[in-house]
Amino acid sequence: MSGDAPAGTAVVEHVPGAAALDGAGWADLAGPEDFFQTPRWLAVQERNSGTTMDFLVRRRAGRPVAGLVTAWADDTVPWLLARPDAMLERAVREEDPEALERLRDTAGQDPASLLPSLVCGGRHLGRTRPLTGAGARPEDVAALVAEAEELARERGAATVCFPHVDERDTALVDLLDRRGYRSHPSAHYAWLPVPPGGWDQFLAEMTPHRRRRVRLERRALDEAGIDVRIERITPELAPRLGELDCNLLRKYGNPATPEYSAGLIRWIGEVMGDDAMVSVARKDGVPIGFGMVLRNRAQGTEEWFGHRAGFDYEAQGKLPLYYDVLYYRVLEAAAEQGVRVLHAGIGSVEAKLARGCLAAREHSFLLRLERTPR
């Protein structure tokens, strides 16, 4: 980067932190689907990532045209769903042929050898990519990727990783292929176009079998006295949500404490305000399950993003809380507020497809770097 570049020159600028992103024009690069790369959310991630994050902006004639966020991943960071070694291990356990090839040709039979890694395009779970604005050219994205690779080499990284590249992002896929990245499937990303007729239309478009199933699920919750409502995050609610969040994280092998989860949820509420909502299920007045929903308003449209969840598994028992809390109640509220798309994220893709979602395959792209002695 050069602050003295001649007018018209294209340069890559290193923005000093998330607090400076608004001043750097970053918000103008994020579209409706890019909530997890907005300045406010990146401020949340910067605080809770437990590692170094960098923000690169490509400027042309002084105007921002593209951006790329990176995060340093070593074996101490807990976000396993976007860490290259953990993603490869999971894909190998599923006996994916491409993952088995990456185990041989990129990881040398040891997924841990992929660390440390510079994770690019965001460590969120879906659609990790550079941002591009009006006037962006293919060479602008290529310059950002090249800068990230150089940053990784300077810091002694073993790899550079784009963890969840959407298969439909063909320009990025082609660029990474040309630069020598190798890939394996990492997830499916699901989203639901909200029907204009709301819940009634959604239910009517289900198969008769699925429609009966949903009605039986809701009746079971009603008979058990479960009350589900969408509300704001408050300091009073955060400690209980932290307990539930911790329960889910531990269930899937992620390190967590109720105190840390509660602090993070409280911080999200403070930063996001009305744009952070929770769908909360209560039994006898006590929260036993929740799903968090984040609102993005960009370019004249509004889209909602499911983010995290948690449950009291003992109190829940066999009650069908999951989809009512995370999906049905949120869909009802989204339709009422004219939301265009509900992003359901990764995981449980078959169940989401059965409930009207669309989905795209995502791949983890890996570039092995030559380690230079220090």
Side-chain angles (χ1 to χ4, degrees):
M1 166 202 151
S2 172
D4 301 318
T9 300
V11 298
V12 174
E13 170 187 334
H14 289 242
V15 181
L21 289 174
D22 276 325
W26 186 279
D28 295 334
L29 303 174
E33 297 182 351
D34 297 315
F35 170 82
F36 294 111
Q37 295 202 65
T38 58
R40 282 195 299 171
W41 188 255
L42 289 172
V44 171
Q45 280 205 334
E46 189 177 47
R47 173 167 167 168
N48 84 317
S49 66
T51 190
T52 299
M53 295 183 67
D54 290 274
F55 308 95
L56 310 177
V57 172
R58 174 76 162 179
R59 293 189 178 279
R60 186 177 292 281
R63 184 168 60 90
V65 293
L68 181 66
V69 59
T70 74
W72 184 256
D74 58 23
D75 60 7
T76 67
V77 297
W79 22 279
L80 301 181
L81 293 178
R83 215 173 79 182
D85 60 325
M87 289 191 297
L88 181 58
E89 285 178 353
R90 185 169 61 253
V92 167
R93 286 197 300 271
E94 295 171 357
E95 299 184 346
D96 177 84
E98 290 178 85
L100 293 171
E101 288 184 28
R102 299 297 82 78
L103 182 65
R104 292 190 297 270
D105 62 29
T106 308
Q109 301 296 340
D110 180 13
S113 73
L114 300 175
L115 300 179
S117 182
L118 192 70
V119 172
C120 297
R123 65 174 181 84
H124 53 278
L125 308 179
R127 295 182 173 172
T128 49
R129 58 187 178 185
L131 299 178
T132 54
R137 305 172 186 173
E139 58 262 35
D140 295 318
V141 174
L144 288 172
V145 174
E147 184 75 7
E149 293 167 6
E150 183 60 28
L151 188 64
R153 290 188 181 94
E154 290 174 359
R155 294 180 180 172
T159 58
V160 179
C161 176
F162 283 76
H164 295 291
V165 175
D166 193 306
E167 64 185 1
R168 296 166 302 157
D169 195 350
T170 54
L172 179 58
V173 169
D174 290 345
L175 171 64
L176 298 179
D177 281 341
R178 291 196 304 271
R179 298 189 69 87
Y181 287 72
R182 308 298 299 275
S183 67
H184 67 83
S186 57
H188 282 87
Y189 184 89
W191 67 97
L192 176 71
V194 178
W199 174 255
D200 290 338
Q201 181 181 345
F202 173 74
L203 201 61
E205 291 175 351
M206 285 184 168
T207 65
H209 170 75
R210 178 62 60 186
R211 189 159 52 243
R212 286 194 300 272
R213 179 80 175 268
V214 170
R215 286 171 172 159
L216 286 173
E217 289 173 351
R218 297 201 112 178
R219 184 185 305 167
L221 295 178
D222 288 341
E223 292 174 350
I226 304 299
D227 178 51
V228 182
R229 299 183 185 181
I230 294 181
E231 53 199 87
R232 285 194 60 178
I233 299 170
T234 64
E236 297 76 22
L237 187 59
R240 178 57 177 166
L241 298 186
E243 294 174 359
L244 302 177
D245 181 76
C246 182
N247 288 346
L248 185 142
L249 289 172
R250 287 177 173 172
K251 179 179 179 180
Y252 292 102
N254 294 291
T257 67
E259 295 78 16
Y260 182 84
S261 287
L264 174 58
I265 290 169
R266 188 181 298 110
W267 171 241
I268 291 172
E270 291 174 5
V271 172
M272 300 306 303
D274 289 340
D275 290 333
M277 303 163 282
V278 280
S279 172
V280 182
R282 288 180 171 83
K283 184 175 183 179
D284 299 325
V286 178
I288 63 169
F290 85 96
M292 184 181 294
V293 182
L294 302 163
R295 185 197 332 256
N296 190 34
R297 302 171 189 172
Q299 300 176 9
T301 65
E302 181 172 332
E303 303 191 4
W304 287 8
F305 294 76
H307 174 52
R308 60 197 309 124
F311 299 92
D312 180 333
Y313 293 107
E314 183 176 352
Q316 174 183 338
K318 295 184 178 180
L319 290 172
L321 275 187
Y322 183 86
Y323 283 103
D324 203 72
V325 168
L326 289 173
Y327 200 72
Y328 302 143
R329 302 290 177 167
V330 175
L331 172 67
E332 287 179 294
E336 290 171 2
Q337 297 188 36
V339 175
R340 189 182 74 170
V341 178
L342 176 60
H343 293 265
I346 71 171
S348 305
V349 66
E350 292 180 359
K352 291 172 181 174
L353 289 173
R355 290 163 173 82
C357 280
L358 305 175
R361 193 71 181 264
E362 297 184 328
H363 284 72
S364 173
F365 278 78
L366 294 161
L367 178 68
R368 189 86 202 188
L369 300 176
E370 294 297 326
R371 306 290 289 274
T372 56
R374 294 192 167 191

